[in-house]
Amino acid sequence: MSRALARSALLPLLLLTAGCTGAPDDEPGTGRGTAEAARWRPEPGTAWQWQLSGRLDTSVDVPVYDIDGFDQSADTVSDLHDDGRKVICYLSTGAWEDWRPDAGDFPKAVIGKSNGWEGEYWLDVRATDVLEPLMAARIDMCAEKGFDAVEPDNMDGYRNKTGFPLTAADQLRYNRLVARLAHERGLAVGLKNDLDQIPELVDDFDFAVNEQCAQFEECEDLTPFIEAGKAVFHVEYEMETGDFCPEARRLELSSLLKKWELGVWREAC
């Protein structure tokens, strides 16, 4: 399913506040760069709420919220932080949505076929010269509103009828570009679906978001994220919890049953 600052100053600020005296990209004793170590990385089994439509209900007792980056305000993100939550910024990075405030910034040449949802059309992810500044501006918005992470949607266009001759290599290049843009702004980033490319991309992303892996018997494909200590936020729409939760718990997935509109309602494993 497809749903729909400081850049250069951020890293030095993190280094300064951490009191780091070593090289900017090294954190002694960890094997990880300082910026990477400072990023949020949710662990397997972390509970979450995913709401992209309707009036946001902030009362769900979970440590992670995934909400629409355009629709929700900095005040909402701040309120969730005050309640001890981490907040993920939902964005569509692989499809054009005709209702977004920046829709007019996308040239027609990069807009392809419908992805099956009203008002949404695949993007030509080969056109990184056009899309990189547009996606950078969107991720800047997430950073400015105080989000902790980004959920970039429609990251598997190469497996769909987009209207463009996209290849697996095109998709890998673009997905890594999106991950880099998030990391440059100090944000974590999740790989949305794109199961076939998990082996190549698990090191580039901080968590995964998946839809319907149980229905299509694909959940084992997400194991590399779990083995790397990274959460897999998983949703089913057309199954009963009793049919997928036992396996989801065995695999340490953070699994929910949701309705297609991704409103308030949820049933957790």
Side-chain angles (χ1 to χ4, degrees):
M1 165 190 154
S2 303
R3 276 286 187 209
L5 353 160
R7 306 181 195 174
S8 60
L10 180 59
L11 180 55
L13 178 60
L14 288 172
L15 295 175
L16 180 62
T17 56
C20 177
T21 58
D25 294 331
D26 296 319
E27 184 181 6
T30 67
R32 295 172 60 194
T34 304
E36 181 184 358
R39 279 198 311 272
W40 174 56
R41 178 181 287 176
E43 297 179 351
T46 301
W48 70 310
Q49 165 66 325
W50 195 18
Q51 184 181 345
L52 301 183
S53 69
R55 183 181 177 85
L56 185 66
D57 179 358
T58 61
S59 68
V60 181
D61 188 16
V62 292
V64 177
Y65 263 70
D66 188 339
I67 59 179
D68 190 278
F70 281 102
D71 293 347
Q72 303 301 332
S73 68
D75 287 342
T76 296
V77 176
S78 178
D79 289 345
L80 287 165
H81 282 160
D82 289 345
D83 288 337
R85 277 72 171 274
K86 295 291 187 181
V87 194
I88 301 171
C89 182
Y90 171 89
L91 294 173
S92 182
T93 51
W96 179 75
E97 301 160 306
D98 65 7
W99 68 92
R100 296 301 190 184
D102 63 353
D105 297 335
F106 289 76
K108 291 182 179 179
V110 302
I111 301 171
K113 293 183 177 180
S114 171
N115 66 6
W117 295 94
E118 184 178 358
E120 297 186 25
Y121 301 84
W122 290 107
L123 288 169
D124 185 356
V125 299
R126 299 171 302 170
T128 54
D129 58 329
V130 174
L131 296 180
E132 180 173 356
L134 293 168
M135 296 307 156
R138 288 184 167 192
I139 297 172
D140 280 340
M141 174 189 69
C142 296
E144 289 162 3
K145 288 183 177 182
F147 282 93
D148 302 285
V150 176
E151 180 211 333
D153 200 3
N154 299 295
M155 297 284 273
D156 54 0
Y158 81 105
R159 292 182 57 85
N160 293 272
K161 295 180 180 179
T162 62
F164 306 108
L166 304 182
T167 67
D170 295 329
Q171 196 70 59
L172 282 173
R173 188 180 308 109
Y174 185 69
N175 289 3
R176 286 178 172 139
L177 167 63
V178 172
R180 175 177 61 79
L181 291 174
H183 288 161
E184 286 175 350
R185 289 150 179 81
L187 302 177
V189 61
L191 179 64
K192 181 68 171 288
N193 297 324
D194 196 19
L195 293 171
D196 289 346
Q197 295 188 325
I198 284 175
E200 290 88 356
L201 291 173
V202 63
D203 291 339
D204 296 280
F205 288 81
D206 305 292
F207 57 93
V209 180
N210 175 266
E211 295 165 294
Q212 298 175 279
C213 70
Q215 182 174 343
F216 297 107
E217 300 181 352
E218 298 170 331
C219 292
E220 291 277 1
D221 294 346
L222 290 149
T223 299
F225 274 95
I226 300 300
E227 290 178 342
K230 301 175 181 181
V232 174
F233 297 118
H234 162 236
V235 161
E236 293 293 329
Y237 303 103
E238 299 180 352
M239 299 179 70
E240 299 294 330
T241 52
D243 294 330
F244 70 87
C245 283
E247 178 74 352
R249 286 191 288 267
R250 182 184 73 81
L251 294 173
E252 298 183 71
L253 308 183
S254 303
S255 298
L256 299 175
L257 179 64
K258 295 285 291 186
K259 297 177 181 178
W260 284 105
E261 63 269 21
L262 293 173
V264 176
W265 187 87
R266 69 192 286 277
E267 189 174 338
C269 288

